[in-house]
Every structure is written in structure tokens, then in C-alpha cells.
Amino acid sequence: MAEANTLLKISNLKKQYSKKEVLKGIDIEIKEGEFVVVIGPSGAGKSTFIRCINRMVDPTHGAIEFGGTDVAKLKGKALREARSNIGMIFQHYNLIGRTNVIKNVLHGRLGHNSFFKTLTGSYSDAEKREALTLLQKVGLGDHIYKKANALSGGQMQRVGICRAMMQDPKLLLADEPIASLDPKSAKVIMDQIHGLVTERNIACIMNLHQVQVAKDYATRIIGIKDGRVVYDGAPADLTEAMIADIYEGKAEEMELKTDNVAVGELAYGV
Amino acid sequence: MAFSGFDQNVVPSEMNQVIPLAKKDSPARIKMWLTIGFIAALIVASFIHLSVNPLDILTAPPTMLTFMADNFFPPNTEIVANSLPVIIETFFFAVIATYVSAVISFTLGILMSERLNRHAVVRRGVRYFVAFLRNIPVIIWGSLLVFIFGIGNIVGLIALTIATMGFLSRSYAESMNDIAGERLEAMYASGASYMQILVHGLIPEFMPAWLNWTLFSFEINIRASAILGMVGAGGMGMLINSQMNLRNFRSASMLIMILVGMILITEFTVGFLRRKMT
């Protein structure tokens, strides 16, 4: 395979909340098809970082080059268009609970369609077929008319995955997608995300706090600590000492990390 | 012994010592006594200023009961047939006022929610406007509007709609704000437009709260539309008031009983509907 093209180039990204600087200058380049997992203690800025990419959080400084434009500078319609090419999966799934499963998946198309077309819920046949295919693929083919809030956590996250895939994104962002799930569902979700992005050559940036899971799936791991990148490399090169360094000074996080390794072992049998 | 864990930690000589549950003379304790003292002083001062003997309040209920027993019973059932149109009128007042304001308040609620309306100036403007509507009691709206439109049903309707709008807009805005956080985040992230997010995200999620608040205000409005009549704004209150002024207490008591019945039926029905919804 030829050298993959750069999909996303983040330079000197900073985010300042009223008092605290959460991101202190991040430079990262992501290539097509990469599966990047971001690890780091809570409060390190992982979530802010991932939300800056699609401007759910407005960065204070820096550039986010994606698809030939600087997302950091976009506004209004242009911003919505950029967002429509970036899928996102959330820790709490963020579905519309009182709407049924297939409609929730089709919400992924809203950004690609005009308001009046979507007002009556008239999606194209191709879109509906794609939604159904995706839902069948993740094993929810029998639940398409169920209300989203009638599903289990794992099932909700699968709907979240399908919704993101409906956007036909070039980049997928995932913010702690398995943090609220039991180990068994977590493995299903990780396998499905990994399978879909690999099959469709979608680059993925995922926040996780389970280091073992990160090592199992990532093609590249980025460690963020106190608003800065402290590790950027292959999973195999991430040593115990480096992990300890990333979580340094966060004793309780270290314990959490160890717990999560145990969870990882339980779920993945490593 | 039940508290075996306790035994191991406490030295035997300390066993009989009383363990206070709060520190004596702590600032919180002093504050509590100051508050109690202040409220007591306030009550005493109020009685003195109003020159009412507290004992008179105790003897009031028997006086009231004797008067009512002598004058209000038996209720005059003949008035029921005559008052039927007014009873229906009262009900329709509440219906129209509630549902007109439910629609207007939906828009006002969106404008008042900080997560749905980023224009701080517009938001604050609407908030002040709604607070103004809400803080003027419905009866004052009624007596004010009587001067503008004269005695009649339109006054009751407008007064009730304004008051309901004040109440509903704020309640809606709070519920909408709860929804507009995480639950709509995914839609924003997928590039959906504001209107798409309102239609496909906010409205379905807001529906239960919408119905709930609206039914609740309907219940309030049934009561309020009876009161409004007192100032000549139409409805049942007007009839009750005129019967009282004519000293037809037995007719008035019949009307009051009908009103109470109506309120109870509404309360029961609304309660039933709200339970069914959740």
C-alpha cells in the first residue's frame, strides 16, 4: 500500500477556559485509515482535544486542517458541512430516546440534507437501505422500530455507531465510547468500531482510559498529560514506564488504570 | 452485642461518655437560634401592627361555620340549570388560555434557554418580559384589562393567557435547557442545522415535559378562571360574586360546590393523564 495521505493536521492547538489552560499547544498529524487512541489521566484535556476537532469546543488558538480547510476558522454553514464529514460517538450515546432506532440512525444524514427535505422525515430509499444494512450488521436488525431509550447501553452505543457511519465520514471521533459499558459489551463495541473503520478506511481518533484496550486496537497511541502530548507512537513501543509517566502524580488514576487492565484481561483474555 | 465493631475502637473508660452529635456553640447552632428568634419577633410584630388579637383567630372558625351553616344550607339546586352556560364558559376559558399559551410559550421557552439561544441580549430581553408577565397576578391583569375592554369574556381570556404564558415559558425553558445539553450534542456534531435539531431532537424529547407542564397549567387555569370573574372578567366567578352581593348565599354555595367539583374532576383527570404518560 502506498504511503497514506494526511487527513488531519492540527498545529499548536490551545484551549483556555476562564482560568485554566486545558490544551497547551498540540501538534498532531493524522493519516487516512489510522486508528489513533488517546490516553491520559482524567482532566488531562483528552475530551477537550477531541471536541476541538469538530468544534464542539472552540479552540482559543491553533489550526485544524481537515479536507483542505482550517476547521478552526469555519462558521455557520461551512462549519456544519465540515462536521457532516466527521462522525462522532459519545460516552453516553446521546441518542434521541423517544425516537425509534432507525430514525436515530438516519439523524446521521441530517447534515447532508436540507431542512425541508428532512422536515417530513422523507429520507431517500438509498439512505434508508443503508441504515437498515448498518443496523443488521451490528445485530440490531430486529429492533429498528424500538424507541432508543428501550435499548440496553451496549445496544444504544451500536445505534450511535450506525448513526456516525451514516454520515459516510472520513474521520470518526469517539469520546470514551466504552466507559459506561460492561466488559462484554465493551468488547463488542470495540470490535464493531474497529471492523467498520477498517473496512471503510475511516481514520479514527478515540479517547480511552483502558490502556490495555488501547494497545489491542490502536495503530498509534497518543498520550496526553496536562494539556500536552507526552507520547506519540506505536502501541508496541509504549512501555510500562511510559504509562507510569503519563499517569504520574495521579495515584488514584494509576489504580484505575490497573483496574482497567484487569477489566481488559477479563474481557479480552490477554 | 450488636455493635461489636464499636467495642473494639472505644476504650472502656470512655464507654459511658455522652457523644454529642453536633459541636456545642458551633456557628451553625448560633445561627439556628438567631433565625428562630428573628421569626418569632417578626410574628409578634405583625400581630401588633395589624392590631389583631391572636385569640380572635382561634375563635374565627366556629363563627364562620355557624354563618355558613345558617346561610349556605341547603344549597339552591335551582340555579344549576341557569348557570350551566357559565360553567361551560369557565371550562373553555381554561382550554383556550392554556393551549394558546402552550404554543406561544414554546417559542418563548426556546428564546429563554441559554443552551438554545446564544444571543444573550435577546435572551435577557425575553426573560425580563416573561418575568414581568409572570409577576403580575392574574386577578390584577383581569382588573386592568376590564378598564381597557370593558366587562366581558375577552378580558378573562387575555388575562388568563398572559398569566399562563408567564408561567409556562419559564417552565418550558428549564425543561428545554436540560434536554439541550448532551442529548442534542450528537446532532450538532453531525452537522445538522439549528432547525433540524429543533424538529428532530428537541421536540421529541421535550414532548413529555410539554404535555406535563401544559396539563398542570390547565388545572391552575380552571381555578384562576373562577377567580377572574370576581373582577368582571367573565366566567363562573362573576356569577358567584353577583349571587353573594345579592345575599343569595344558598345559590352561591351551590355554585361554589360545582366549582370545587369541577376542580376535583380536572385534578383527577390531569393526574391520571400525567401518570399514564410517564
Side-chain angles (χ1 to χ4, degrees):
Chain A
M1 204 168 111
E3 180 75 3
N5 296 319
T6 299
L7 179 73
L8 177 73
K9 186 165 183 278
I10 294 167
S11 21
N12 203 17
L13 185 72
K14 291 180 184 171
K15 174 64 186 175
Q16 173 116 26
Y17 287 107
S18 49
K19 293 182 262 187
K20 203 174 168 242
E21 187 166 42
V22 184
L23 299 178
K24 298 172 179 169
I26 290 192
D27 296 277
I28 284 172
E29 251 180 65
I30 307 275
K31 292 187 163 42
E32 280 176 4
E34 270 193 301
F35 197 110
V36 180
V37 173
V38 181
I39 58 167
S42 37
K46 301 193 299 282
S47 195
T48 306
F49 166 67
I50 214 164
R51 278 179 166 71
C52 278
I53 298 172
N54 63 353
R55 290 276 304 281
M56 297 306 287
V57 168
D58 285 331
T60 331
H61 183 87
I64 303 158
E65 284 165 58
F66 173 76
T69 48
D70 182 359
V71 179
K73 291 200 174 61
L74 297 180
K75 271 192 217 156
K77 204 171 175 190
L79 175 60
R80 289 206 304 275
E81 203 183 313
R83 279 178 176 166
S84 72
N85 292 316
I86 304 174
M88 190 160 187
I89 299 174
F90 302 84
Q91 178 180 351
H92 297 120
Y93 333 120
N94 298 1
L95 304 177
I96 304 303
R98 293 174 40 81
T99 301
N100 72 26
V101 166
I102 192 159
K103 280 186 188 165
N104 264 286
V105 173
L106 284 163
H107 284 164
R109 294 309 295 172
L110 289 175
H112 291 273
N113 287 306
S114 75
F115 170 66
F116 290 103
K117 214 174 140 196
T118 56
L119 185 60
T120 49
S122 50
Y123 297 96
S124 75
D125 285 338
E127 285 170 330
K128 285 187 260 188
R129 208 169 305 122
E130 166 74 355
L132 183 61
T133 311
L134 277 165
L135 282 167
Q136 282 167 341
K137 207 167 196 167
V138 299
L140 291 177
D142 296 334
H143 301 285
I144 62 170
Y145 298 121
K146 261 196 194 165
K147 277 190 178 175
N149 57 16
L151 301 177
S152 71
Q155 290 173 324
M156 285 189 194
Q157 193 56 296
R158 283 186 258 165
V159 177
I161 295 170
C162 294
R163 178 180 58 192
M165 288 300 137
M166 267 320 276
Q167 287 176 241
D168 193 17
K170 296 179 182 67
L171 174 66
L172 179 71
L173 307 174
D175 189 22
E176 301 281 5
I178 56 170
S180 307
L181 298 174
D182 61 274
K184 227 173 132 185
S185 314
K187 174 157 171 51
V188 173
I189 293 302
M190 283 305 297
D191 285 342
Q192 288 180 344
I193 295 176
H194 187 257
L196 283 163
V197 296
T198 312
E199 174 191 305
R200 295 163 181 231
N201 196 35
I202 299 169
C204 177
I205 304 175
M206 181 184 289
N207 285 344
L208 281 180
H209 55 253
Q210 296 91 332
V211 178
Q212 191 53 50
V213 180
K215 283 186 158 190
D216 287 344
Y217 289 90
T219 61
R220 176 178 164 193
I221 289 180
I222 291 174
I224 291 187
K225 179 183 163 187
D226 198 20
R228 284 181 220 281
V229 174
V230 292
Y231 179 86
D232 185 354
D237 299 337
L238 183 68
T239 62
E240 280 304 312
M242 285 165 179
I243 297 170
D245 179 55
I246 294 170
Y247 290 90
E248 187 210 342
K250 299 259 180 181
E252 71 279 22
E253 290 273 327
M254 223 13 224
E255 275 163 36
L256 186 71
K257 183 194 76 75
T258 329
D259 283 351
N260 283 316
V261 172
V263 168
E265 278 165 9
L266 188 78
Y268 303 99
V270 283
Chain B
M1 210 182 174
F3 297 103
S4 56
F6 211 70
D7 295 341
Q8 291 156 13
N9 295 326
V10 177
V11 185
S13 69
E14 290 175 357
M15 281 287 279
N16 296 325
Q17 212 175 323
V18 178
I19 302 167
L21 292 176
K23 269 194 261 175
K24 273 198 179 125
D25 301 324
S26 66
R29 241 179 135 81
I30 296 167
K31 215 165 122 190
M32 185 184 84
W33 283 111
L34 280 176
T35 313
I36 291 173
F38 178 74
I39 292 171
L42 195 65
I43 292 170
V44 172
S46 308
F47 272 117
I48 293 171
H49 183 82
L50 296 171
S51 34
V52 172
N53 184 348
L55 288 177
D56 286 349
I57 294 179
L58 290 177
T59 55
T63 320
M64 279 161 65
L65 283 178
T66 338
F67 179 85
M68 283 159 88
D70 290 349
N71 296 288
F72 279 54
F73 287 95
N76 177 12
T77 46
E78 281 160 31
I79 195 151
V80 176
N82 290 334
S83 60
L84 208 63
V86 187
I87 295 168
I88 295 169
E89 208 171 79
T90 304
F91 180 77
F92 284 148
F93 263 14
V95 171
I96 297 176
T98 307
Y99 296 101
V100 168
S101 34
V103 174
I104 302 172
S105 299
F106 178 78
T107 318
L108 292 177
I110 291 173
L111 292 173
M112 282 166 74
S113 148
E114 57 259 27
R115 285 193 172 130
L116 290 168
N117 178 8
R118 306 265 169 189
H119 305 282
V121 179
V122 179
R123 191 174 64 232
R124 218 165 295 145
V126 177
R127 271 184 183 276
Y128 288 141
F129 171 67
V130 167
F132 175 76
L133 299 186
R134 190 180 53 243
N135 288 317
I136 296 177
V138 67
I139 191 97
I140 294 186
W141 278 118
S143 40
L144 194 92
L145 291 167
V146 161
F147 283 108
I148 303 170
F149 298 102
I151 289 177
N153 287 345
I154 185 82
V155 171
L157 260 184
I158 297 176
L160 212 50
T161 308
I162 290 175
T164 314
M165 254 162 60
F167 167 75
L168 281 182
S169 302
R170 194 170 85 157
S171 314
Y172 286 177
E174 270 163 29
S175 301
M176 284 172 175
N177 226 25
D178 290 342
I179 295 167
E182 252 184 9
R183 282 191 261 179
L184 301 185
E185 196 187 11
M187 290 196 149
Y188 281 108
S190 73
S193 71
Y194 187 74
M195 288 308 282
Q196 284 175 327
I197 292 167
L198 289 191
V199 171
H200 297 276
L202 180 74
I203 292 180
E205 292 293 275
F206 179 56
M207 205 53 93
W210 199 354
L211 292 174
N212 227 323
W213 282 120
T214 309
L215 284 172
F216 180 55
S217 81
F218 179 71
E219 194 183 311
I220 295 175
N221 281 348
I222 290 275
R223 284 193 196 93
S225 75
I227 292 174
L228 268 173
M230 300 282 179
V231 295
M236 251 181 115
M238 210 143 104
L239 202 59
I240 295 176
N241 204 26
S242 60
Q243 294 300 318
M244 295 264 231
N245 288 339
L246 294 168
R247 302 189 76 78
N248 290 336
F249 293 124
R250 286 175 49 223
S251 300
S253 80
M254 187 69 234
L255 289 169
I256 291 171
M257 281 166 76
I258 291 171
L259 180 64
V260 170
M262 213 162 113
I263 291 169
L264 285 177
I265 291 168
T266 316
E267 247 183 58
F268 177 79
T269 317
V270 165
F272 175 76
L273 287 174
R274 289 170 75 178
R275 266 197 309 281
K276 266 208 115 169
M277 249 157 37
T278 46

